[in-house]
Amino acid sequence: MIYSRIVGTGSFLPPRVMTNQEFAARLNTSDEWIRTRTGIVQRHIADKSQASSDLALEASRRALQAADTRAGDLDLIVLATSTPDYVFPSTACLLQAKLGIKGCAAFDVQAVCSGFVYALATADAFIKSGTHKRALVIGAEVFSRILDWNDRGTCVLFGDGAGAAVLAAGSKPGVHASVLRADGSHAEILSVPGNVCGGAIVGTPFLRMDGQAVFKFAVRVLEESARETVAAAQMALEDVDWLIPHQANVRILEATARKLGLAHDKLVVTVDHHGNTSAASVPLALDEYVRAGKIRSGHRVLMQGVGGGFTWGSSLVTL
Ligand code: UT7
C-alpha cells in the first residue's frame, strides 16, 4: 500500500501589517468590536506588485527547503486559490515557471476557504494511486483584492498570505483519511458573483457574505466533518493531537473544539494575527506551529476547511 506523507511545510506573509486601528480610523468600527466578534487583531496585506503566485513562490521555497527536496524532483503541483493571478493560465502553472521547472502536472483547485484541504486530498489521491511520487500543495490568496473596503461587515475579516506542504510517497501514512463535501445550493451566502465578459466586469467583483448564515453553517459542518473523517480513519477524537480548522473567526474555532470535546490546548489559532486568509489559512497555521516546535513528527493533525460553494472537508494526517 502506498501512502502520502507531509515531509516539509513553508509559508509566507507579505510584510505590510494592517491593524484594527487602521479600520477604526476610516470606518464605523472599532478595535474592540473586531477583537470581540472575530478574535482578529491584525492581518497582512500584499503590495500591489505581489500576486498569489509570488506569495506561493516564497512559501513553496521554504517548504521545499524544509523537505530537503529540489523543485526539479516534483511531479505534481496542486494550488488552491480563489484569487488567481489570471483567468488563465492557472496560478499553479505560473508558480511552476517561477520555480524554474517544467514538465510536472500543475493545476489549480477552486474550493474557496476549503481549498487547501481539497488540494491536499487531491494530491494524496494521486500519490496513493501510484502515478505520482512527490507533490507540492499550496494555498495562496490575495483576498485584499476582492474586498469592498467600505463594507465593515467583510473588509475587517480577511488577510493575504500563502502556505505550502511537500507530500512524498511512503509506506506509512501520512494522510489517513480525507472527506470532502459540497452543497452548491448555499452559493449565495458567500460569493464574489462577478465575471469578465467583453472586456468588462459583469456583476460585482467584491466579496458578499451573510455573516450569520456562514457562521452557523461553519460550526455545524466543521463538527460533522471532524467526526466523519476521524471515523473514516478508524480512529477516535482522542487520537487527535491538534485541530486546525479554517481560521475564519476565533468564535467558530472555539465552538467547534467545544462541540468535539477537544481541550483548548489542542486547538490551533492563528486568525488573531493572520485574519482569514481563505485557502492559505490552514497551511499557514500548520507551518507556524511546526516551526514553533509545537506540532512535531508523529503528531496527528486534523485539518479542516469550510467556505464558499458551500464547500467543506477535513484531512487527518500524521506528521
Ligand atoms: O471563510 C469563511 C468566511 N467567513 C466566515 O466564516 C465569517 C462567519 N461570520 C462571522 O464571523 C460573523 O458573523 C461576523 C464577524 C461576520 C459578524 O459577527 P456577528 O456577531 O455575527 O455580527 P452580526 O452580523 O450579527 O452584526 C451585529 C452588528 C450589526 O449591527 P446592528 O444590525 O446590530 O445594528 C452589524 O451591522 O454589528 C454590526 N457590524 C459591525 N460593527 C462594527 C458588522 N460589522 C461590524 C464592524 N464593526 N466591523
Side-chain angles (χ1 to χ4, degrees):
M1 181 78 187
I2 306 170
Y3 296 97
S4 74
R5 194 172 192 101
I6 294 179
V7 292
T9 63
S11 61
F12 180 73
L13 291 158
R16 157 92 166 102
V17 171
M18 186 168 182
T19 62
N20 292 346
Q21 283 82 1
E22 289 182 60
F23 287 101
R26 56 172 201 81
L27 278 178
N28 183 16
T29 188
S30 64
D31 175 49
E32 206 259 334
W33 191 97
I34 301 169
R35 275 177 200 255
T36 53
R37 295 296 181 113
T38 71
I40 298 168
V41 176
Q42 63 175 52
R43 70 290 288 145
H44 291 249
I45 302 293
D47 183 75
K48 278 199 174 69
S49 64
Q50 292 172 308
S52 286
S53 67
D54 298 309
L55 308 188
L57 178 64
E58 293 306 323
S60 299
R61 282 184 176 145
R62 292 172 188 185
L64 287 163
Q65 191 178 35
D68 201 14
T69 298
R70 290 178 314 133
D73 293 334
L74 296 170
D75 52 16
L76 177 66
I77 299 175
V78 187
L79 186 146
T81 189
S82 297
T83 47
D85 295 23
Y86 300 157
V87 172
F88 70 80
S90 69
T91 305
C93 283
L94 300 175
L95 172 66
Q96 187 202 49
K98 287 181 180 180
L99 284 168
I101 57 173
K102 297 176 186 195
C104 71
F107 58 90
D108 285 1
V109 162
Q110 219 300 25
V112 199
C113 304
S114 311
F116 184 76
V117 172
Y118 265 65
L120 183 72
T122 304
D124 174 55
F126 272 75
I127 289 176
K128 273 192 182 131
S129 77
T131 58
H132 292 71
K133 291 196 163 47
R134 207 162 277 115
L136 178 63
V137 182
I138 311 109
E141 302 280 16
V142 284
F143 254 53
S144 59
R145 308 273 159 84
I146 53 167
L147 299 175
D148 175 351
W149 287 89
N150 293 312
D151 176 13
R152 67 178 185 172
T154 54
C155 71
V156 301
L157 304 174
F158 295 91
D160 301 334
V166 177
L167 254 65
S171 55
K172 284 192 303 183
V175 180
H176 296 278
S178 300
V179 179
L180 306 180
R181 301 277 173 211
D183 180 350
S185 69
H186 296 287
E188 78 292 346
I189 63 173
L190 178 54
S191 64
V192 179
N195 65 69
V196 181
C197 179
I201 295 163
V202 179
T204 173
F206 297 123
L207 184 147
R208 296 278 171 261
M209 179 172 69
D210 176 345
Q212 285 200 3
V214 171
F215 191 107
K216 287 179 198 150
F217 197 98
V219 173
R220 179 170 65 77
V221 299
L222 286 173
E223 181 195 2
E224 281 172 14
S225 174
R227 293 189 188 281
E228 200 178 6
T229 307
V230 166
Q234 296 178 311
M235 290 193 202
L237 281 165
E238 296 75 56
D239 297 322
V240 173
D241 295 303
W242 296 98
L243 178 69
I244 313 184
H246 167 50
Q247 304 286 310
N249 182 325
V250 78
R251 289 158 54 215
I252 296 177
L253 309 188
E254 286 174 352
T256 302
R258 204 165 43 241
K259 283 170 158 238
L260 294 170
L262 286 180
H264 201 262
D265 59 4
K266 291 185 169 187
L267 178 65
V268 171
V269 177
T270 53
V271 67
D272 55 332
H273 51 287
H274 294 168
N276 179 347
T277 57
S278 190
S281 92
V282 168
L284 265 167
L286 174 66
D287 185 54
E288 182 174 307
Y289 272 57
V290 166
R291 283 173 194 266
K294 295 177 187 167
I295 296 181
R296 294 191 297 276
S297 182
H299 284 182
R300 292 199 188 100
V301 184
L302 184 60
M303 294 183 252
Q304 301 197 277
V306 57
F310 240 71
T311 57
W312 64 100
S314 306
S315 285
L316 181 58
V317 175
T318 294
L319 259 289

